[in-house]
Amino acid sequence: IYISEDIAGTGRSQVGDSISVGTNESFLMQETMLHSFTHIIIYTMSSLVEQSTPVAIELFDNFATVSAVMFLDFDLDAGDIGGSITWRAPTNVAQVTHYLVYFASLLTNVSDFDTNVFRDAPELIERSLIDITSAGSEKLAIQGDTGIFDFTRFLVYTRSSLVEQTTPQIHIVADEIASVSGLTFVDLDLDQGDLGGSIVWQAPPRIERVRVYRVFFRD
């Protein structure tokens, strides 16, 4: 069994070892580079010689990656996130069984993620799995108070029944922070043990995701 550049066997490359008679199946390992190959070709071979004219089947490279990844952070603490990460399913989902979502950061001084690093230097990427969801659900809820630590990106992968894809879709982890400042209180109740007066603060610079303010006593 070979992969080749045409049905005639041009530039062919053998797939594994020769297969004994009685076995009608072989396995093409994941991550096999397509290069310029276009066909799988199979020859029979006698004790004397390999046949000259093989049977061929055209190769189809199944490509399935998500797009339009979005995340809005509704945990307003610095260093924590919470909310739903969503994405658009691949055009062809016939072989997609699951989606996997990771936090990621680079273990190097490279200024930014490049999709080539996943193929050429995956050891430079630190990943932490957030969760897995089945195909048909293009959304994953991230619980509030989830720490981002030093992670700077989300990675969303597709997975088939065989293997997880090598090159994911990348999205920036945007930590929404909304804390009040300038908090003041002047007690105008002059009885001992009683308080009264206005509590005043300055609103956060960004209030798009702030619904209410809550004021508590604290020991």
Side-chain angles (χ1 to χ4, degrees):
I1 302 175
Y2 299 86
I3 48 179
S4 71
E5 297 175 1
D6 56 30
I7 62 175
T10 302
R12 69 184 192 176
S13 175
Q14 187 168 355
V15 177
D17 298 323
S18 298
I19 308 298
S20 299
V21 174
T23 300
N24 301 326
E25 182 177 346
S26 184
F27 187 77
L28 188 64
M29 290 297 295
Q30 65 267 25
E31 316 301 344
T32 298
M33 296 298 292
L34 183 62
H35 298 299
S36 58
F37 298 122
T38 59
H39 289 77
I40 295 173
I41 56 176
I42 301 179
Y43 296 82
T44 57
M45 184 174 181
S46 70
S47 58
L48 175 64
V49 67
E50 177 183 282
Q51 71 177 151
S52 301
T53 305
V55 173
I57 184 172
E58 189 173 1
L59 284 167
F60 174 73
D61 182 16
N62 197 354
F63 176 73
T65 193
V66 305
S67 59
V69 179
M70 291 185 62
F71 174 74
L72 296 178
D73 179 23
F74 286 92
D75 185 317
L76 304 181
D77 289 312
D80 291 337
I81 63 170
S84 291
I85 181 168
T86 62
W87 56 87
R88 185 177 299 144
T91 303
N92 182 358
V93 297
Q95 302 302 324
V96 176
T97 61
H98 294 85
Y99 301 106
L100 299 90
V101 182
Y102 293 83
F103 283 127
S105 61
L106 284 175
L107 303 178
T108 179
N109 291 326
V110 174
S111 60
D112 201 355
F113 277 84
D114 185 322
T115 53
N116 291 331
V117 75
F118 295 94
R119 182 188 67 237
D120 300 334
E123 70 279 2
L124 298 181
I125 301 168
E126 180 181 10
R127 301 189 310 174
S128 177
L129 179 65
I130 300 173
D131 211 343
I132 302 172
T133 185
S134 298
S137 176
E138 287 73 47
K139 180 168 124 175
L140 181 68
I142 299 175
Q143 296 299 313
D145 298 321
T146 298
I148 59 174
F149 305 103
D150 293 326
F151 295 119
T152 62
R153 298 292 189 276
F154 292 111
L155 308 179
V156 183
Y157 293 80
T158 56
R159 187 171 74 186
S160 70
S161 58
L162 174 64
V163 68
E164 175 184 295
Q165 73 176 147
T166 301
T167 305
Q169 190 65 257
I170 307 167
H171 189 70
I172 293 174
V173 175
D175 183 12
E176 184 76 8
I177 302 169
S179 296
V180 303
S181 59
L183 181 62
T184 61
F185 170 73
V186 177
D187 179 22
L188 300 179
D189 186 320
L190 303 182
D191 289 310
Q192 186 175 8
D194 293 337
L195 297 172
S198 295
I199 302 169
V200 180
W201 59 86
Q202 293 181 359
R206 289 170 53 90
I207 60 171
E208 289 88 345
R209 296 175 204 169
V210 178
R211 291 180 57 195
V212 297
Y213 299 105
R214 290 182 176 175
V215 182
F216 295 86
F217 286 117
R218 182 174 179 179
D219 294 334

